[in-house]
Amino acid sequence: MSDHSVLRSKRSIEMISTLVRMGHDSVDLGKLWTTIHQHYGVGEISGSKLLLSPADRQALRNLLIDKAKWDPLEARKVEGSRIELAGRSRVEKASNEVIGRNLVLVSNPEGKVVLAKRQYEIPEGGSLAIPADLVAGLDCFIMVENLEVLLQAHLYQMPTDLAGAPWVFRGSPQFSIATAAALAKLTPRVYYFPDTDPQGLANSLNAASCCGVISCTIAALSELRSRGLDKPHDYMNQLRVMDGLLKTGHPLASVLSELRTGFSQESMARQPLQVWRH
């Protein structure tokens, strides 16, 4: 551990701050305290302990104030976004907030969405990364399972009554799944657009505020199957889910059971879509 990393690490800053605030006169030696002693001459080693006088504790406080612009007697924890931390310290990289955690990706086949009374243009093949608060308050939106589909929204033929509804990506490691899920709970009606297979349908029916599932028309599904663009292996691998789905009486479950296959969202590009409801 270098002297530089000591004063940039969230954990190290909080450990030093706690010791200064609590007024401890000794601490178990470890990498952190050994490095501080070696690089800054703070404390006296005694066996497995680092002994600290009041002057040593003041030296630690001054060290954080000077090197990190962080006063341990005024701030208890390293909290906030990088920009918030950068506004009051030099430790912006110690932020534990996930960058983009409050953002959702939004698109629409028409290349535009209206949010908070403002229209936003979306280029083909792209999307908007926007604060979830801009989508909150809408009556409905469409939750899209796969990112590629969201980015190629212009290739999809949505039902006319949903033409203007925003598409929202359900999330990934880069964009918080929890944020999209929380947004769904706040929205009266959410239409889910998953892969048309047992698991995709089950996930949608169990998701927050689900008022319908988007898939191809039955004629389009039959055509995709006849062209070999379906996914029978996915259906068979998820067969255990079918009993529960059939008990719900959902019409798309009956179609899956009859066709005995599944369909990816990607295969539905340029095909007529509809909303499947109970």
Side-chain angles (χ1 to χ4, degrees), residues 1-8 12 31-32 35-36 39-40:
M1 182 182 290
S2 68
D3 58 330
H4 178 80
S5 65
V6 164
L7 304 176
R8 293 294 182 269
S12 297
K31 287 185 178 180
L32 170 64
T35 300
I36 287 175
H39 286 280
Y40 300 107

Side-chain angles (χ1 to χ4, degrees), residues 22-130:
M22 299 300 292
H24 295 314
D25 56 13
S26 68
V27 65
D28 291 335
L29 273 176
K31 287 185 178 180
L32 170 64
W33 299 109
T34 299
T35 300
I36 287 175
H37 175 73
Q38 291 175 344
H39 286 280
Y40 300 107
V42 175
E44 178 183 345
I45 293 178
S46 176
S48 61
K49 298 281 188 178
L50 182 66
L51 306 181
L52 298 161
S53 66
D56 288 323
R57 292 193 294 274
Q58 184 60 45
L60 288 173
R61 180 189 180 193
N62 292 339
L63 188 63
L64 287 185
I65 292 173
D66 178 49
K67 302 296 184 180
K69 296 299 180 185
W70 189 269
D71 189 342
L73 297 185
E74 293 183 2
R76 289 182 173 271
K77 289 188 176 182
V78 181
E79 294 180 333
S81 69
R82 286 193 176 195
I83 289 177
E84 289 170 337
L85 288 178
R88 64 179 190 270
S89 72
R90 292 174 176 158
V91 295
E92 76 286 347
K93 291 184 179 179
S95 171
N96 61 355
E97 286 195 6
V98 177
I99 297 173
R101 72 180 179 90
N102 290 320
L103 296 178
V104 291
L105 290 184
V106 174
S107 188
N108 181 268
E110 296 184 337
K112 58 186 177 183
V113 292
V114 177
L115 302 170
K117 299 182 180 180
R118 179 177 176 182
Q119 180 170 292
Y120 296 86
E121 302 294 328
I122 305 170
E124 290 188 0
S127 66
L128 299 177
I130 62 172

Side-chain angles (χ1 to χ4, degrees), residues 9-241:
S9 161
K10 174 179 183 292
R11 182 172 180 272
S12 297
I13 292 170
E14 290 185 347
M15 287 175 65
I16 296 170
S17 297
T18 297
L19 183 143
V20 171
R21 286 197 309 273
M22 299 300 292
H24 295 314
D25 56 13
S26 68
V27 65
D28 291 335
L29 273 176
K31 287 185 178 180
L32 170 64
W33 299 109
T34 299
T35 300
I36 287 175
H37 175 73
Q38 291 175 344
H39 286 280
Y40 300 107
V42 175
E44 178 183 345
I45 293 178
S46 176
S48 61
K49 298 281 188 178
L50 182 66
L51 306 181
L52 298 161
S53 66
D56 288 323
R57 292 193 294 274
Q58 184 60 45
L60 288 173
R61 180 189 180 193
N62 292 339
L63 188 63
L64 287 185
I65 292 173
D66 178 49
K67 302 296 184 180
K69 296 299 180 185
W70 189 269
D71 189 342
L73 297 185
E74 293 183 2
R76 289 182 173 271
K77 289 188 176 182
V78 181
E79 294 180 333
S81 69
R82 286 193 176 195
I83 289 177
E84 289 170 337
L85 288 178
R88 64 179 190 270
S89 72
R90 292 174 176 158
V91 295
E92 76 286 347
K93 291 184 179 179
S95 171
N96 61 355
E97 286 195 6
V98 177
I99 297 173
R101 72 180 179 90
N102 290 320
L103 296 178
V104 291
L105 290 184
V106 174
S107 188
N108 181 268
E110 296 184 337
K112 58 186 177 183
V113 292
V114 177
L115 302 170
K117 299 182 180 180
R118 179 177 176 182
Q119 180 170 292
Y120 296 86
E121 302 294 328
I122 305 170
E124 290 188 0
S127 66
L128 299 177
I130 62 172
D133 288 347
L134 281 181
V135 184
L138 291 179
D139 290 333
C140 76
F141 67 82
I142 297 165
M143 187 81 83
V144 179
E145 181 176 349
N146 297 325
L147 180 56
E148 174 69 11
V149 175
L150 184 97
L151 298 177
Q152 302 299 328
H154 60 284
L155 300 178
Y156 288 80
Q157 301 178 27
M158 293 299 292
T160 55
D161 58 333
L162 291 181
W167 287 23
V168 175
F169 179 43
R170 69 159 184 179
S172 66
Q174 291 75 32
F175 289 88
S176 174
I177 294 175
T179 299
L183 184 61
K185 292 180 180 178
L186 298 173
T187 305
R189 295 177 294 122
V190 179
Y191 297 88
Y192 286 83
F193 187 13
D195 290 335
T196 298
D197 54 31
Q199 195 62 62
L201 179 56
N203 291 345
S204 298
L205 295 181
N206 291 323
S209 307
C210 178
C211 64
V213 178
I214 295 172
S215 182
C216 284
T217 64
I218 189 167
L221 291 175
S222 298
E223 181 185 346
L224 290 174
R225 181 169 176 263
S226 68
R227 293 167 56 193
L229 301 179
D230 58 333
K231 304 189 77 173
H233 291 296
D234 285 1
Y235 176 84
M236 295 306 298
N237 289 337
Q238 301 168 17
L239 193 58
R240 67 191 182 282
V241 182

